[in-house]
Amino acid sequence: MNLKKDNRDKKQGLGFLDYTAGAGKRLALPWTGIAGLRLTGMTLYEVYGSVQNQLEVAKQMEERFAADFTGIMDDGIILSETLGMKIKVYDYDFPAVQEHMVKTREALSRLKMPDPLAGGRIKTNIQSIQALAQISEKPLAISIEGPFTLAAQLAGVEDLARAIIADPDFVRLLLEFTAGAVKHYAQAVSRAGADLVSIAEPTSIILSPHQFKTFVVPGLQRVFRDLAAWKVLHICGDTSHLLDLILSCGMEGLSLDQVMDIPAVMKKIPENIVVFGNIDPLEVMLEMDGAGVARKTADLLRAVADYPNFIMSTGCDCVLETPFENLEALVKTTHGYPLARPRGIIDQIRQAVIGFRRDECRTLCRKALASGLDPVLVMETGLASGMEEVGNLFSSDIYFIPELLMCADTLYAGLEELKPHMRFDGTRIRARLMIGVIEGDVHEIGKNLVIAMFTAAGWEVIDLGTDVGVQGFAEAYGKHKPDLVGISALMTTSIRGIPGVIQALRQMDPGAKILVGGAPVTREKARVFGANGYAADAVEAVREGVKLMEEKDQAGSCKTQGPP
């Protein structure tokens, strides 16, 4: 029986979160580094150079520690070595690049994209992954150096750091090459049978947030894009100041260093991203005994008890001398700990919106109604709460327009199930928005996102559609008497029609509140047009709309009070 095939069949189509949360137990993946060498007595390069030896170490590791993932021996310089860098080799420690040979454009131009099947150790790695994938029922995980870290291995960390300031164009050329090399190799290991590909970017911790966004994020996004494996990112050190940028890279899992406060971080990470945390490989795994490791592991598990998107791990690689009883204690304690408490159906609906799982959202809304829950409550605390978090992710540059559209579609799918059963008492509708796209413009993405965000915020929305002229806005205003009018434009030529609409509405109602937005509109143009407010995006539109309604209420209150 092919156990690996059976395992693959079980998880076919599952995202990393679904596999993690549905495993039936807490999962453990300690980064064991080269500790496995002690099980066989082989040197590191004896393992690196032989498919059979790779399989033997993997077999011994699986039998001894019972972790939930398997893999070949960690190898953090395989691409540098394949590209011809001079390597310093150790028997019982990871190799290192001895001479950094790519410091000029000329040297970079001589590099050839590494072929994982051409020969050498890189081909042995691919063959080892293929062989291990055939005999192990566990998901196969492999770690690869990231584009920035590979660039540092090729050029040297200090020279690369200086070039970021002195010659950023060279850095971009180098990163263009390294991102291609990492992506090429990552796709090869995925095709060979790796289920989880972890990209290690330890060198990127030297950068400022702006530099990280400029030089690291694009390469990681390129590597993760279209990678047919679970995508994980590991960065050493305190990455608190980079967290929002890290979350924009497109991974499904995040492995954090031991210096990070996991319980605090979990509150900031979307629940569709799996977090690996982060027992100290030295002060705990190396220096404590098994009881101490079990205690530290249990403490962390208690702190993340409510999070199904958590895998127990170490903050970085364990060292060679790590006591085997400590690795056993970490895995055993993890497997014995209770699973995360099941989420209530409202929270499941919220997470379905955030993860843009439309069909799941429909099903959950039907279940909520069948259980007797108030549909308005389901909308407000499930759908709307989820869309509010989506807005936060958008504002933090973690989600962008494509994700926002998918989340909006999910929101509407849920609303279709709830609306026939909803009975408002009049106090739940905050206000009424009437919105349309200006005449001559048929682009409605922005308008539809604004509608989704206002709907989630509890507003009633009248959608006038696209290509709406002065007469269309005026007639609809007279019919619906909205609290707020939204005018959207995407084309520079079409914004010329906005002042005419505003003038017509002001003639009908001098107190009309008008909000404008769209790509060619600016805050200054909105002021010149005579609008009451301006919003650069759908999230800001809701905030501005609420602000305008508060100002309207305050003005009305002052009028009714009269003079003192």
Side-chain angles (χ1 to χ4, degrees), residues 379-413:
M379 183 198 75
E380 290 181 338
T381 61
L383 297 176
S385 177
M387 203 65 190
E388 182 179 358
E389 178 59 27
V390 169
N392 294 334
L393 294 171
F394 179 79
S395 298
S396 300
D397 288 335
I398 297 169
Y399 275 11
F400 295 89
I401 293 297
E403 289 87 358
L404 212 56
L405 286 168
M406 295 293 288
C407 293
D409 290 345
T410 306
L411 169 81
Y412 287 130

Side-chain angles (χ1 to χ4, degrees), residues 422-455:
M422 294 171 72
R423 300 292 183 270
F424 290 102
D425 60 12
T427 63
R428 295 182 183 269
I429 296 295
R430 293 186 180 181
R432 176 182 292 181
L433 168 71
M434 183 182 81
I435 186 170
V437 180
I438 197 68
E439 186 175 16
D441 199 330
V442 295
H443 300 88
E444 59 180 349
I445 288 178
K447 170 184 68 70
N448 291 344
L449 288 174
V450 169
I451 290 174
M453 295 305 296
F454 271 95
T455 301

Side-chain angles (χ1 to χ4, degrees), residues 275-356:
V275 177
F276 291 75
N278 73 335
I279 300 297
D280 193 312
L282 296 178
E283 293 185 5
V284 177
M285 297 304 297
L286 176 64
E287 298 177 2
M288 288 187 175
D289 59 13
V293 171
R295 184 174 63 253
K296 287 290 187 180
T297 303
D299 287 345
L300 181 52
L301 288 166
R302 277 192 294 272
V304 297
D306 291 331
Y307 295 96
N309 58 323
F310 178 80
I311 289 179
M312 178 56 66
S313 186
T314 49
C316 199
D317 283 325
C318 293
V319 298
L320 178 72
E321 301 84 2
T322 302
F324 291 159
E325 68 166 354
N326 288 358
L327 289 166
E328 292 168 335
L330 183 143
V331 175
K332 183 178 180 180
T333 303
T334 302
H335 288 168
Y337 202 82
L339 291 170
R341 289 183 282 272
R343 293 194 189 106
I345 194 166
I346 292 293
D347 192 46
Q348 292 178 53
I349 291 171
R350 177 176 172 273
Q351 292 304 320
V353 173
I354 295 170
F356 38 89

Side-chain angles (χ1 to χ4, degrees), residues 441-481:
D441 199 330
V442 295
H443 300 88
E444 59 180 349
I445 288 178
K447 170 184 68 70
N448 291 344
L449 288 174
V450 169
I451 290 174
M453 295 305 296
F454 271 95
T455 301
W459 288 54
E460 180 184 353
V461 181
I462 299 113
D463 181 6
L464 303 183
T466 62
D467 193 25
V468 184
V470 173
Q471 184 176 354
F473 272 101
E475 289 178 353
Y477 189 86
K479 176 181 178 181
H480 297 290
K481 300 293 190 299

Side-chain angles (χ1 to χ4, degrees), residues 256-269:
L256 295 171
D257 189 280
Q258 60 268 16
V259 301
M260 297 291 287
D261 182 350
I262 289 287
V265 169
M266 294 298 293
K267 299 176 183 178
K268 302 176 183 178
I269 293 181

Side-chain angles (χ1 to χ4, degrees), residues 207-316:
L207 301 177
S208 70
H210 173 72
Q211 292 164 344
F212 188 93
K213 183 177 182 179
T214 302
F215 296 107
V216 179
V217 172
L220 289 173
Q221 290 176 337
R222 180 180 172 188
V223 170
F224 287 140
R225 191 179 304 124
D226 302 323
L227 179 58
W230 296 328
K231 300 174 274 284
V232 175
L233 176 63
H234 173 77
I235 301 179
C236 294
D238 186 349
T239 52
S240 302
H241 62 300
L242 300 173
L243 193 57
D244 286 347
L245 293 171
I246 288 171
L247 292 172
S248 72
C249 291
M251 69 285 181
E252 298 170 88
L254 179 59
S255 170
L256 295 171
D257 189 280
Q258 60 268 16
V259 301
M260 297 291 287
D261 182 350
I262 289 287
V265 169
M266 294 298 293
K267 299 176 183 178
K268 302 176 183 178
I269 293 181
E271 293 188 22
N272 60 343
I273 293 179
V274 177
V275 177
F276 291 75
N278 73 335
I279 300 297
D280 193 312
L282 296 178
E283 293 185 5
V284 177
M285 297 304 297
L286 176 64
E287 298 177 2
M288 288 187 175
D289 59 13
V293 171
R295 184 174 63 253
K296 287 290 187 180
T297 303
D299 287 345
L300 181 52
L301 288 166
R302 277 192 294 272
V304 297
D306 291 331
Y307 295 96
N309 58 323
F310 178 80
I311 289 179
M312 178 56 66
S313 186
T314 49
C316 199

Side-chain angles (χ1 to χ4, degrees), residues 45 77 86-90 93-100:
Y45 266 76
I77 55 91
K86 292 183 179 179
I87 305 300
K88 188 172 180 61
V89 174
Y90 302 92
D93 202 353
F94 286 124
V97 178
Q98 189 172 19
E99 185 176 345
H100 311 285

